[in-house]
Amino acid sequence: MAGSKSGKTEGLMYKGHPLRRTGNLIYYGTMAEKYIIMMQVLDTRKEQDLDLASKVSIQLQLTDPDLKSRDRVVKKSEKDSLYAAMDIATVWLNRALAGKEK
């Protein structure tokens, strides 16, 4: 695979924003922006040899390090699949970063 033009190695990107996974947590967006999405896989189900997310918590959060963690949450929801969670996460993050959020 060819590297990016800037010479930096990029991680996984989805619709223009980086995705990072730590255990059952998935972070969508970058801490350099005002908002980030945190998704937590709460439950999984077995589909052949794969574990598929069957319950995912989504939170739109402010990235301000001076706020307490509970004060950072702007919106939250739960979805029944990772696909549905990513769909709403993309809309929330794009709207928030465009200034259409609180």
Side-chain angles (χ1 to χ4, degrees), residues 14-15 17 28 37 58 84-96:
Y14 181 74
K15 296 192 177 184
H17 301 287
Y28 182 49
I37 295 284
I58 312 143
M86 287 300 303
D87 195 30
I88 195 75
T90 303
V91 172
W92 282 4
L93 187 59
N94 288 334
R95 285 183 181 172

Side-chain angles (χ1 to χ4, degrees), residues 1-101:
M1 261 172 89
S4 64
K5 292 180 183 177
S6 67
K8 281 179 33 178
T9 304
E10 289 187 12
L12 184 61
M13 299 288 285
Y14 181 74
K15 296 192 177 184
H17 301 287
L19 271 172
R20 300 284 183 264
R21 179 180 174 199
T22 305
N24 65 342
L25 294 176
I26 302 168
Y27 293 95
Y28 182 49
T30 176
M31 291 301 285
E33 299 282 353
K34 185 175 179 180
Y35 296 95
I36 195 164
I37 295 284
M38 184 189 79
M39 292 176 276
Q40 182 176 14
V41 177
L42 301 173
D43 198 16
T44 60
R45 67 172 159 51
K46 209 63 157 160
E47 187 75 32
Q48 294 179 1
D49 292 340
L50 298 174
D51 286 329
L52 297 179
S54 58
K55 189 175 184 182
V56 182
S57 167
I58 312 143
Q59 293 183 354
L60 174 66
Q61 297 182 352
L62 290 162
T63 57
D64 185 349
D66 297 331
L67 293 174
K68 293 178 186 172
S69 60
R70 70 169 182 251
D71 295 335
R72 290 182 192 161
V73 178
V74 177
K75 281 186 180 183
K76 60 184 175 178
S77 182
E78 282 188 7
K79 296 295 175 192
D80 57 4
S81 71
L82 186 56
Y83 178 81
M86 287 300 303
D87 195 30
I88 195 75
T90 303
V91 172
W92 282 4
L93 187 59
N94 288 334
R95 285 183 181 172
L97 294 175
K100 296 176 183 169
E101 208 52 56

